[in-house]
Amino acid sequence: MKSAAELLDELQGAMPGVKLALATNPSPSAQHSLVVAAEDALRVAVYLRDVAGYDYCSNATGVDWLDKETTEKVKTTRRVKKEVDGVEQEVDETVEETVKRVEPGCLEAVYHLYSMRQGPHDPHPPLVLRMRTANRTDRVELPSLSPVWRAAEFQEREIFDLYGIVFKGHRDLRRLLMWDEFEDHPMRRDYVDPDDFEYEPTPHDEVLKRAEEHRAKLAAEGAR
Amino acid sequence: MTTAEMKSGIDSGIKSYLPPVIEVEAENELLEVAMGPHHPSTHGVFRMDVALDGERVVRLKPVFGYLHRNHEKLAEGTTYLASMPYTDRLDYFCSMTNNWAYALAVEKLAGLEVPERAEYIRVITAELTRVQNHASAIGFLMQEMGASGTPLMYAFREREKILDLFEALSGSRMMCNYMRFGGCRVDLPEGWLERTKKIVAELPRFIDEMEALLTGNEILMARAQGVGVLSPELAVNAGVTGVMLRATGVNYDVRKVDHYGIYDRFSFRVPLGEHGDIYDRYMLRVLEMRESVKILEQALPQIPDGPILDPKSKPRGFRPKPGEAYGRIEAPKGELGFYLISDGSGNPYRYRVRPPSLINLTILEDMCLGQNVADVVLIFGSVDIVLGEVDR
Amino acid sequence: MAVESNLKIELGKQGVFVTTLNELYNWGRRNSVWPMQFGLACCAIEMIATTMARYDLARFGAEVFRPSPRQADLMIISGTVTKKMAPQVVRLYNQMAEPRYVIAMGACAISGGPFKQGYNVLKGIDRYIPVDVHIPGCPPRPEALIHAFMTLQKKIAAQPLTGEERPRHLDASAQGEFPVPEPGAHDLEPPVNRLVWPLPAPTVAAPAKEGA
Ligand code: SF4
């Protein structure tokens, strides 16, 4: 089978203008992935299945990338007026400033593809296909790849349930694991559990913290 | 979202594999039955919402989640090593293969090597697991066919022997928690190999006995042949793996395809079916047990001395470099995969289990539509699922 | 009511057997406890193993696993109860006829066990229904289940038919139906049935209330 980089060239040759990028994986597994833009995903997927031979979608899953806040210390020099020895002068002054930069997060759908048609062959890493949503809150739509690989049908429902990615074109997009009335997406990294603290005979550390919070909540309820 | 939008993917000329739509004459005369979550035939807590036209199934929707135990969320909040005992509880018939799949994914992520002795132990425990899983699966299938007791009792008798071996090895009957990244936890206890050889030597007799009871059985043939047929194209497209896939005739066994572990060194064959029906699946399980016995017979005398853990691996304080890996093995139920993303910390950033049981159920609807409701129970049983893995 | 045990033995030697109605009644009850065929998770496999040839639960008069709650006396909660499943468990319990008993098998049924921190895991079934015997273990060995069974038999044998301690089916004022929790937007509603599972007294000093 071709490597991800070779496939990237092949796809760009076959579909000019397709928005694709290679994401390298620094770990020893060296399973590199193709990042495909949402609008091109369906035709790329069809090409991969029908032409490139990736007829088997092994795994489909979601990943939540939080907004990343990076702080950097930057040294800036500016001219300031200062009184030096009683005389007002302009002096160069260097100050350290912390600059906050927010990298917007996203939700990601990851597909691991193999080829069954090729029959027994040398071990090859899976082809990893990734799609990213525009943000984590309101623009969370991606095209469903379940029309291409039926294997993604339940797995996309699971992603919808646990991560909240809305797959357009899925034939039956409902929650898979949680009940229908449930409103949260519990696999997101900022999900907060319901407060169902339970009595512990010897609370400590985190449990103690939760116990105290819980008690404060009960007290507040009682006072009402 | 409008319906038109929802349909857009399907209508855009892509060749999709969808379940058949059954025409119903009188829509309001359908009988809707919720089979489960507490139903004797559902292997646990699983629900099928079935619509019946007389005895015929015209609609079927599986409902999951009654055993959703948040395995993935818990694993993302704890260290790599601490997830190992949780993997036991995925497919609780086959804790050894679950351990292996997870260890394999982590080894790919961190680039660890497994010593030869440990590879042999892994193969031996995995094949023992396969034997007891297939035996139990057949037992449960027969239970659903109305042979209550006997085949299952035979299977469990054999299973107990294998569980005793696991207990001697790991300290626990079912939840072995035995493998580690880059090897195994403890070495074989004294006399274990001899005990195992004895038990393995008796296995063919058990399989013969089981086959004498079942393979030519008229009731089994009448109820299983030609029922629940799955086509190879659909099976591949729907990601069906394991016995279910090979019963349709597709030659795909991860042991042969990926050459993981040391399966290259043993000669064994991959049995294939022709019809993709329940009987083929039953037959394949029997044949796979025989192949497993063959592997065991080769592996047991060959096992070398040596260390059982990669000296580079530090199970405690384990921090792989950032990156990701997907590792998979041929578990008794199908292809079991683990997908891990590391951000360099002690906890995985993303931890995902690719559950063969869940994905093999994708085509449950396709197989059941148009069949008798009594056969739904059989078709479901022949998929061989474990709810702990379906819902995780 | 009570015949002295020594006298009973003496009479027995003469071929006269005396017993009380209470004893006879409980003897019959405890030796044919029919469990419900109801498995939840991994522990259920050990429960099945217990009924199989090697451990043979039939020796204790409990081999008849009934598929219907209406015909069962004993519910073995064998495995993790998730929040999605909890309403069904309570409903099944409500459908069982008195006298009914519950064994909570395994760490999960007792407290959520290894999965306690999970968002969909109920932290112990005794939040909603009363439990008679708890078995620790993950999974408990078949011997442990048999032990729990014998404990239950002892418990049944010791139940007087009259008075405060009488079993619930002889007590007209006993609670029969237990409220079934509803699935809510974030959690089950209510998250716990306070009548069955009163909150233990706090062990941390509660913050002083102002002007309450
Ligand atoms: S107690 Fe352990 S074995 Fe039993 S259901 Fe829970 S996790 Fe499974």
Side-chain angles (χ1 to χ4, degrees):
Chain A
M1 300 303 291
K2 295 198 175 83
S3 73
E6 288 163 358
L7 257 174
L8 180 78
D9 293 339
E10 184 186 326
L11 279 162
Q12 272 166 343
M15 285 178 256
V18 68
K19 290 204 195 86
L20 268 177
L22 187 73
T24 46
N25 175 2
S27 91
S29 72
Q31 297 170 351
H32 307 300
S33 40
L34 290 179
V35 186
V36 60
E39 62 265 28
D40 289 331
L42 213 54
R43 58 187 180 123
V44 168
V46 173
Y47 182 89
L48 287 176
R49 182 189 72 175
D50 293 340
V51 185
Y54 287 95
D55 49 357
Y56 166 43
C57 171
S58 170
N59 180 39
T61 187
V63 185
D64 181 13
W65 299 101
L66 287 176
D67 297 346
K68 232 196 256 159
E69 206 170 81
T70 42
T71 46
E72 253 180 277
K73 289 238 162 84
V74 188
K75 276 193 185 152
T76 42
T77 320
R78 37 183 179 184
R79 303 226 103 197
V80 269
K81 280 188 186 149
K82 254 192 188 170
E83 258 182 39
V84 183
D85 308 329
V87 192
E88 203 169 279
Q89 283 182 338
E90 289 222 323
V91 203
D92 273 346
E93 197 192 49
T94 322
V95 269
E96 270 207 354
E97 276 183 353
T98 41
V99 181
K100 273 193 193 162
R101 235 186 281 143
V102 181
E103 267 182 53
C106 64
L107 299 169
E108 193 177 51
V110 185
Y111 298 79
H112 286 86
L113 311 176
Y114 285 96
S115 170
M116 276 192 191
R117 202 194 292 165
Q118 249 83 359
H121 39 69
D122 285 335
H124 63 94
L127 177 69
V128 193
L129 194 66
R130 320 177 89 99
M131 296 190 282
R132 293 186 179 147
T133 61
N135 62 19
R136 298 180 64 251
T137 43
D138 49 352
R139 295 174 56 205
V140 288
E141 278 166 19
L142 287 179
S144 167
L145 299 190
S146 63
V148 186
W149 294 287
R150 182 91 187 280
E153 185 178 319
F154 283 168
Q155 305 189 61
E156 281 181 351
R157 271 178 68 186
E158 183 183 319
I159 302 171
F160 167 69
D161 184 354
L162 302 181
Y163 285 94
I165 300 180
V166 179
F167 286 98
K168 279 209 249 164
H170 192 289
R171 76 181 175 102
D172 181 22
L173 196 65
R174 289 175 293 136
R175 280 185 182 271
L176 182 82
L177 296 173
M178 302 304 283
W179 53 87
D180 291 337
E181 293 87 348
F182 198 73
E183 282 175 3
D184 306 331
H185 300 294
M187 278 300 283
R188 288 206 185 176
R189 294 187 81 85
D190 49 4
Y191 168 76
V192 189
D193 290 273
D195 174 30
D196 53 359
F197 164 78
E198 189 186 330
Y199 163 76
E200 293 258 348
T202 53
H204 55 85
D205 300 348
E206 241 174 65
V207 184
L208 179 67
K209 216 178 97 213
R210 273 185 91 174
E212 272 162 357
E213 280 169 16
H214 183 74
R215 190 140 299 113
K217 203 181 118 205
L218 277 193
E221 271 174 15
R224 231 186 281 136
Chain B
M1 201 186 305
T2 60
T3 352
E5 251 181 302
M6 288 281 293
K7 287 259 161 54
S8 63
I10 300 167
D11 294 341
S12 56
I14 302 167
K15 181 168 170 30
S16 309
Y17 294 83
L18 295 174
V21 178
I22 304 253
E23 295 296 327
V24 192
E25 279 166 27
E27 185 68 28
N28 50 3
E29 277 174 23
L30 293 185
L31 180 66
E32 300 208 355
V33 187
M35 294 173 77
H38 159 65
H39 187 277
S41 75
T42 54
H43 292 226
V45 279
F46 175 75
R47 192 170 112 207
M48 290 179 269
D49 284 342
V50 184
L52 297 177
D53 178 10
E55 286 265 321
R56 202 168 56 116
V57 176
V58 293
R59 238 167 276 143
L60 184 141
K61 287 277 170 230
V63 182
F64 301 92
Y66 290 101
L67 195 55
H68 178 45
R69 299 192 280 195
N70 328 126
H71 176 57
E72 291 177 5
K73 185 84 178 175
L74 293 175
E76 283 169 19
T78 182
T79 59
Y80 283 87
L81 180 62
S83 299
M84 188 59 93
Y86 284 96
T87 61
D88 291 339
R89 287 153 181 83
L90 280 172
D91 172 355
Y92 28 77
F93 270 99
C94 316
S95 62
M96 287 290 190
T97 45
N98 298 346
N99 285 178
W100 193 356
Y102 178 46
L104 190 86
V106 177
E107 281 151 14
K108 281 200 172 164
L109 183 68
L112 296 172
E113 295 287 328
V114 184
E116 209 175 318
R117 185 174 172 84
E119 291 279 26
Y120 270 92
I121 300 178
R122 285 182 175 189
V123 168
I124 291 169
T125 49
E127 293 310 314
L128 285 171
T129 304
R130 200 180 312 276
V131 171
Q132 58 96 7
N133 176 74
H134 284 350
S136 315
I138 292 171
F140 281 116
L141 180 65
M142 296 306 144
Q143 177 105 340
E144 267 138 32
M145 219 171 268
S148 43
T150 317
L152 190 60
M153 289 242 185
Y154 277 35
F156 264 65
R157 183 191 67 198
E158 234 44 42
R159 182 171 179 265
E160 288 289 340
K161 290 182 192 161
I162 293 173
L163 291 194
D164 279 353
L165 291 177
F166 287 170
E167 190 176 13
L169 185 58
S170 72
S172 176
R173 283 156 53 84
M174 281 168 67
M175 307 301 174
C176 298
N177 181 16
Y178 178 64
M179 292 181 197
R180 289 290 177 268
F181 319 136
C184 299
R185 178 158 53 96
V186 287
D187 208 340
L188 302 178
E190 220 175 287
W192 193 85
L193 280 177
E194 281 64 50
R195 263 177 84 188
T196 312
K197 275 180 200 158
K198 249 174 84 187
I199 287 171
V200 170
E202 285 167 12
L203 280 175
R205 208 181 135 239
F206 156 69
I207 302 172
D208 290 344
E209 183 187 53
M210 195 146 174
E211 273 214 87
L213 269 178
L214 300 174
T215 303
N217 186 300
E218 272 180 38
I219 300 174
L220 174 65
M221 290 206 272
R223 289 210 59 190
Q225 287 181 344
V227 178
V229 178
L230 182 63
S231 74
E233 295 78 35
L234 175 63
V236 170
N237 192 262
V240 173
T241 44
V243 170
M244 289 282 293
L245 175 70
R246 291 191 288 272
T248 66
V250 179
N251 185 358
Y252 197 78
D253 186 320
V254 183
R255 287 178 293 178
K256 291 277 191 197
V257 175
D258 267 18
H259 311 287
Y260 68 93
I262 47 162
Y263 276 111
D264 278 354
R265 301 189 190 175
F266 309 114
S267 79
F268 65 99
R269 291 181 305 166
V270 178
L272 295 180
E274 262 182 359
H275 314 281
D277 57 1
I278 299 179
Y279 193 79
D280 271 13
R281 285 170 212 147
Y282 155 77
M283 212 53 233
L284 243 58
R285 294 211 165 92
V286 175
L287 293 173
E288 281 202 0
M289 280 199 276
R290 293 196 189 276
E291 295 302 317
S292 291
V293 173
K294 240 195 244 169
I295 298 177
L296 284 167
E297 279 167 351
Q298 294 168 53
L300 282 167
Q302 284 178 15
I303 183 166
D305 282 335
I308 52 157
L309 200 65
D310 184 352
K312 269 195 295 161
S313 86
K314 292 191 285 305
R316 274 160 221 281
F318 180 74
R319 281 163 188 276
K321 294 198 189 73
E324 59 171 61
Y326 180 66
R328 55 176 194 162
I329 67 162
E330 181 74 30
K333 305 262 176 342
E335 175 189 318
L336 175 65
F338 280 81
Y339 174 52
L340 300 166
I341 300 183
S342 163
D343 60 350
S345 71
N347 301 355
Y349 186 82
R350 177 76 179 104
Y351 172 103
R352 150 85 179 166
V353 187
R354 187 255 184 218
S357 297
L358 171 72
I359 296 163
N360 284 359
L361 284 179
T362 312
I363 36 68
L364 183 68
E365 193 181 345
D366 307 55
M367 288 194 293
C368 290
L369 290 187
Q371 306 270 357
N372 264 346
V373 64
D375 288 337
V376 168
V377 172
L378 276 192
I379 295 170
F380 180 70
S382 73
V383 183
D384 183 22
I385 60 148
V386 156
L387 259 296
E389 191 177 74
V390 173
D391 293 342
R392 283 152 293 131
Chain C
M1 176 180 163
V3 184
E4 264 180 47
S5 56
N6 280 344
L7 181 60
K8 235 161 93 178
I9 295 165
E10 276 308 308
L11 284 171
K13 283 178 189 161
Q14 311 295 325
V16 183
F17 294 96
V18 270
T19 184
T20 57
L21 183 61
N22 194 349
E23 264 176 32
L24 191 66
Y25 181 73
N26 283 346
W27 173 81
R29 281 202 307 142
R30 79 165 188 262
N31 284 314
S32 72
V33 177
W34 287 6
M36 182 155 76
Q37 186 178 2
F38 174 61
L40 284 172
C42 355
C43 283
I45 308 300
E46 284 297 62
M47 182 176 81
I48 296 169
T50 315
T51 63
M52 290 292 149
R54 187 182 198 179
Y55 296 100
D56 199 9
L57 197 62
R59 293 175 294 159
F60 300 86
E63 78 278 27
V64 195
F65 273 67
R66 306 307 301 191
S68 161
R70 308 272 181 208
Q71 304 163 343
D73 313 312
L74 169 66
M75 186 170 186
I76 303 179
I77 314 253
S78 53
T80 321
V81 187
T82 59
K83 286 178 185 166
K84 191 164 178 178
M85 191 61 197
Q88 275 77 335
V89 175
V90 179
R91 211 166 279 145
L92 284 170
Y93 181 71
N94 282 341
Q95 286 172 359
M96 284 166 67
E98 292 282 4
R100 54 185 167 178
Y101 299 93
V102 175
I103 292 180
M105 178 180 185
C108 282
I110 297 174
S111 69
F115 297 96
K116 183 169 178 163
Q117 310 301 335
Y119 49 86
N120 190 26
V121 175
L122 187 71
K123 287 140 192 76
I125 188 59
D126 28 13
R127 288 185 164 217
Y128 291 114
I129 57 176
V131 176
D132 293 277
V133 185
H134 295 87
I135 330 171
C138 181
R141 292 181 60 90
E143 290 93 335
L145 182 58
I146 292 177
H147 180 234
F149 212 81
M150 289 159 66
T151 312
L152 182 69
Q153 288 185 326
K154 279 197 198 121
K155 186 171 177 173
I156 296 175
Q159 277 183 330
L161 297 188
T162 50
E164 275 295 290
E165 299 282 284
R166 66 187 187 276
R168 276 210 311 270
H169 66 286
L170 298 176
D171 184 357
S173 64
Q175 190 181 359
E177 287 265 305
F178 287 77
V180 179
E182 295 287 330
H186 305 288
D187 199 356
L188 287 178
E189 305 285 342
V192 51
N193 180 359
R194 294 266 176 234
L195 291 176
V196 185
W197 197 74
L199 259 190
T203 46
V204 203
K209 269 189 227 163
E210 296 146 38

